Every structure is written in C-alpha cells, then in structure tokens.
Amino acid sequence: MIIKKFVGKTEEEAVGAAKKELGNGIVIMNVKEIKPKGLAVLFRAKRTEVTVALEEEGDIPKPVRKEAAAEPAKPEAATTAGSGAAGLEAGNSQNIEKRLDSLQTLLESRFQQDEVEKQEQSEAVVQPAEKQGEELSEEELERNKFVRLLYNTMLENEVDEKYANQIMEDLEKNKKPNMPFDYILANVYQKMILKFGKAEDITAAKKGPKIVLFMGPTGVGKTTTIAKLASDFTMTEKKKVALLTADTYRIAAAEQLRTYANILEAPFRVIYTEEDAKQAVQDFSNFDFVFVDTAGHSHKNEEQMENMQKLIDAVKEVGEYQAFLVLSATTKYRDLLKIASSYKEIVEYQLIFTKLDETATCGNLLNLKLYADVPIAYVTCGQNVPDDIERFNPQKTVKQLLGGKA
Ligand SMILES: Nc1nc2c(ncn2[C@@H]2O[C@H](COP(=O)(O)OP(=O)(O)OP(=O)(O)O)[C@@H](O)[C@H]2O)c(=O)[nH]1
Ligand SMILES: [Mg+2]
C-alpha cells in the first residue's frame, strides 16, 4: 500500500493531483485543512491536504518507495509493535499513523485493558491468523488480539457479521509476520473506506432543472431533510430551488413544507396527480432544482408503492432526476433491508441516513450501503434546520466504526 499526501487549494485539486500521479484507484484516507500560521496568514490562503492510499498488487508490505514517502521515515515513532522487516513499513504507516492518531491511541489504550481479555473469552468470534499447531510469538499473539479488537469493535457498532468477516478475510490475505499495528489498522480502515465507495450528492442537471425526489418510511425526516438541503442550496450555493409536495395524505404535511418554502422565499406547490408533477417541472424549467417531498408510507403498502412508481415514471418523462431513499439510523436492521429492497424494485436511488444523533452505533450505514449497493449521499444528526446535515463522510464513519469518537 502506498500512502501519500497531496496539497491543493481545494480538496478537488489535491485529489486531482493524487489521481494524476497514482491513478484512479486511490482511496482518500483523510482530508485536512491547512491553515497558514503566523504572518503567513496575511499572504497565504488556506489549503487542503489529502492523504491517499493506493493498494498495490497483493497489498503486501513493501520497502518504502521513494515516491511513496512524503516525509522521511522515523521507524521508532511509527511502529507500535514489531521491528526489523516491519519497521520498513513504518515510513508509509507513519503518515497514516498521524492521521489516525486519535483512533489508534484509543484502540491501543483499549487494547491494553484487561476487559479485552474478558471479552475474548466470552465472545465467540472469528479467529484471525492463528495457525493451528504452530507456536506463535508473543508479538504475533498481541497482533492477533489487536485484530480481534478491531473485529469486535465493528460488531459492537452493529456491522453485520458477514461484512465484518469479509473485512477480516481481506486483511488475512494481506497479513504478514511482523506487521505493525498501524499497518493493520490502516489496512482495515482502507478496506472499509473502499467498501463505502464514493459519496455522491445532489448534482446539477445538464439541461433544465434537476428533479430530486425524497421518499421513505413515515417520520424518518424527509421533509426536514428537504428543508435543510433547500436552505443550503438557496442560501449558500445561491441556486434556484422550487419545492413541491406530493404528500396530500395530511394537511399538516403540506403546511410543514410550505412554511420552510416561505422562509426560504422559494416557490411551493402541492401536486395531486402525475400531470401536476409534469406541469410543475415545466413551470419551473428555469430553476436549478425542483425538490419533491413525498408522503411517508410503509413499503408493505402496495397501493402507495404503486403511486410512488407512477410519480417516478411521470418525473422520468419530463426531466433529469435523482431519487433519495431516506432512512433513519434508528430503524431495525431487518426492516431497513426490507425497505431498501422494496424501493429498489421501483427506482434506482441513493441513500440519506437521518437521526444519527439518536443512535450510538452506525454499522447500518455500512450494512445498507453494501446490501443495496448504492451510494450514501447525506447524513443528518439533529432536528435543527439548516445545520444538522452533512455530506456523507466515509472517513469519519469508518473511524467511528473502528471505535473512534463520534
Ligand atoms: N433527532 C433527530 N430528529 C430528526 C432528524 N431529522 C428529522 N427529525 C425529526 O423527525 C421528526 C419527523 O420529521 P419529518 O421531516 O416530518 O419526517 P417525514 O419523513 O417527512 O415524516 P412524514 O412526512 O410524516 O412521513 C421531526 O420531529 C423532525 O424534527 C434528525 O436527524 N435527528
Ligand atoms: Mg414529511
């Protein structure tokens, strides 16, 4: 694995430079804003530093490459366990160690605790890397404990055992004797980021307005999320956004969105039929975005799912569209799977996860991403409009899934 830092005026510029040098297969491990210090504040603008990783064939530890080392290696600072051959990797892992500093410190401190020992005895988990009949060195045993700790942390965060096992199996393939802890950590971290893939958000249409549909179960936060996004697009990005609601089941539902529309000074319309939807898109043809709120309903209600299908078909006829399935992170895993597959039958969607503030675990983000095989676009973490929403950040979520701070 090559790990390297790139700096640019913006994140896009830094990532562009990384792709130019290392190709499109890179994984962004960390993004950091570098603020100029001292007098430089006056002369230099903020810059963004991205740390990227590139998995090499076989992904086995290799000697530090000249071009891969962004800074001279300091083996004694970088290795947590192991030396000799493992120390060579330290030059690479030193970069990631810095980025994952807090995560690693946390994991290691937990690793020292006797609790882990107890946990191991009480939990039957996958046993990584233990070769039957062979005596393992103390270091190797410690390393295995560390890997088990990562695995258990994923399960505690409700990552589906199936996916946690896959990640561990991948690690197993690349594991080498004397692999430093931070290499193991970086490897698992990278695998998980790769599993999340690229976050995708709302994009502009090539022509005419982009119609953006929000659908999902009742009460997950669809209308609130629309208000947050509409606010960001109109106030921050200065785009023209029109708001429509197809939620005619409850009077209060339309009023809720109308209120937000009034605050944002955005046009608002209730659509009762597919024809209304088509007409509205035509009427707002000079807008950048038309956000469409829909009534929350159970995925088990066939009639409502059919109506949703009709609305989607109507929208498809009149312009470019994007559909978002809004899911609450507090919903039971099994239900989430059923909801995701029901909606998959009617439209290709991207995911928005709400109410992250109401749960201590975010394993379902990874589970659903892998199950539905669609990108996560946004997450919301509170009731405040417009603040409590962010673009999905895989790095942050993976750190959390590995035991980092929320
Ligand atoms: N804690 C928390 N509450 C949220 C979040 N997003 C929305 N809510 C709350 O969830 C409740 C329902 O939000 P709505 O936006 O009305 O949900 P909806 O999906 O449009 O609901 P229906 O239209 O009835 O299906 C409201 O009390 C919101 O304030 C979030 O990220 N965190
Ligand atoms: Mg609503």
Side-chain angles (χ1 to χ4, degrees):
M1 181 168 44
I2 297 170
I3 296 175
K4 196 169 175 182
K5 288 188 288 189
F6 291 85
V7 177
K9 283 194 207 104
T10 60
E11 184 182 332
E12 288 73 31
E13 191 180 293
V15 171
K19 283 191 178 158
K20 205 167 160 206
E21 187 173 324
L22 300 174
N24 285 334
I26 54 161
V27 180
I28 300 164
M29 307 285 269
N30 202 55
V31 181
K32 195 173 93 178
E33 220 171 65
I34 316 174
K35 292 195 181 112
K37 287 191 189 130
L39 269 183
V41 172
L42 301 173
F43 311 109
R44 215 181 286 157
K46 273 191 294 194
R47 288 173 307 152
T48 303
E49 176 193 279
V50 294
T51 306
V52 301
L54 180 68
E55 198 160 359
E56 293 174 290
E57 218 162 281
D59 194 24
I60 49 171
K62 289 196 178 130
V64 183
R65 292 175 166 209
K66 244 192 206 151
E67 72 274 17
E71 286 168 27
K74 285 189 208 134
E76 71 286 357
T79 43
T80 315
S83 55
L88 280 175
E89 202 45 47
N92 270 344
S93 43
Q94 190 186 12
N95 287 331
I96 190 69
E97 190 196 37
K98 271 195 223 149
R99 303 301 174 286
L100 294 181
D101 204 18
S102 57
L103 171 63
Q104 190 172 345
T105 315
L106 183 106
L107 284 166
E108 277 173 34
S109 66
R110 283 190 57 186
F111 176 62
Q112 309 295 347
Q113 292 163 12
D114 292 343
E115 254 179 62
V116 177
E117 218 93 39
K118 280 184 232 148
Q119 200 183 351
E120 280 168 19
Q121 284 159 12
S122 63
E123 283 179 43
V125 296
V126 165
Q127 301 295 314
E130 285 191 12
K131 294 172 220 133
Q132 295 299 319
E134 269 182 50
E135 216 167 283
L136 296 173
S137 71
E138 189 126 327
E139 259 180 28
E140 209 54 39
L141 284 170
E142 294 285 286
R143 247 187 288 283
N144 288 349
K145 275 193 210 166
F146 184 68
V147 172
R148 269 202 295 277
L149 171 66
L150 291 174
Y151 179 83
N152 287 343
T153 310
M154 276 185 237
L155 294 192
E156 274 168 28
N157 277 305
E158 296 184 5
V159 171
D160 188 323
E161 214 176 324
K162 179 170 74 185
Y163 301 130
N165 286 344
Q166 277 175 16
I167 294 162
M168 288 298 125
E169 280 158 22
D170 278 351
L171 173 71
E172 201 51 39
K173 283 186 212 141
N174 304 319
K175 230 169 133 220
K176 279 255 159 173
N178 299 328
M179 203 186 235
F181 282 21
D182 47 356
Y183 187 90
I184 295 172
L185 180 61
N187 204 295
V188 171
Y189 178 78
Q190 187 209 16
K191 296 270 177 295
M192 292 175 77
I193 286 177
L194 271 174
K195 286 204 180 294
F196 268 119
K198 227 173 125 252
E200 282 176 26
D201 46 21
I202 297 171
T203 51
K206 289 190 191 83
K207 193 170 155 264
K210 172 67 83 65
I211 310 153
V212 191
L213 282 163
F214 296 83
M215 41 186 211
T218 48
V220 289
K222 296 178 294 299
T223 309
T224 313
T225 302
I226 291 176
K228 291 170 182 173
L229 288 168
S231 168
D232 185 50
F233 276 84
T234 52
M235 312 302 275
T236 316
E237 300 200 17
K238 309 286 177 216
K239 300 288 181 201
K240 284 176 82 177
V241 181
L243 301 178
L244 310 184
T245 185
D247 188 351
T248 50
Y249 288 88
R250 295 179 300 119
I251 296 169
E255 287 317 306
Q256 189 189 357
L257 194 61
R258 190 194 301 276
T259 307
Y260 287 123
N262 287 344
I263 296 168
L264 296 172
E265 294 178 6
F268 168 79
R269 196 179 289 182
V270 183
I271 47 172
Y272 295 91
T273 62
E274 290 82 59
E275 287 312 311
D276 286 352
K278 289 186 198 170
Q279 186 61 49
V281 174
Q282 271 169 24
D283 294 347
F284 297 119
S285 60
N286 62 339
F287 275 62
D288 300 300
F289 298 97
V290 175
F291 288 176
V292 186
D293 195 6
T294 64
H297 55 64
S298 160
H299 61 286
K300 291 189 272 187
N301 185 322
E302 282 178 19
E303 192 192 327
Q304 286 176 330
M305 287 302 271
E306 264 170 38
N307 288 342
M308 180 66 79
Q309 175 85 70
K310 282 185 198 152
L311 176 65
I312 293 163
D313 291 343
V315 157
K316 274 184 193 169
E317 273 178 44
V318 284
E320 278 180 56
Y321 78 100
Q322 255 176 293
F324 288 93
L325 176 61
V326 184
L327 295 175
S328 165
T330 61
T331 305
K332 282 201 299 234
Y333 180 34
R334 281 169 59 136
D335 292 334
L336 287 174
L337 296 182
K338 293 214 176 88
I339 297 162
S341 55
S342 303
Y343 279 90
K344 206 77 199 265
E345 282 171 26
I346 61 171
V347 67
E348 190 62 26
Y349 55 75
Q350 291 162 257
L351 290 170
I352 295 178
F353 266 96
T354 59
K355 309 199 184 183
L356 259 65
D357 55 308
E358 288 190 8
T359 175
T361 58
C362 57
N364 276 338
L365 270 67
L366 183 65
N367 299 338
L368 264 290
K369 153 73 194 128
L370 294 177
Y371 177 76
D373 192 23
V374 294
I376 301 178
Y378 302 95
V379 294
T380 77
C381 44
Q383 294 179 288
N384 290 324
V385 179
D387 293 335
D388 293 339
I389 187 162
E390 19 184 281
R391 285 191 169 78
F392 174 62
N393 179 333
Q395 290 83 13
K396 188 171 156 186
T397 307
V398 171
K399 279 181 188 168
Q400 241 175 292
L401 290 174
L402 291 175
K405 279 195 237 48

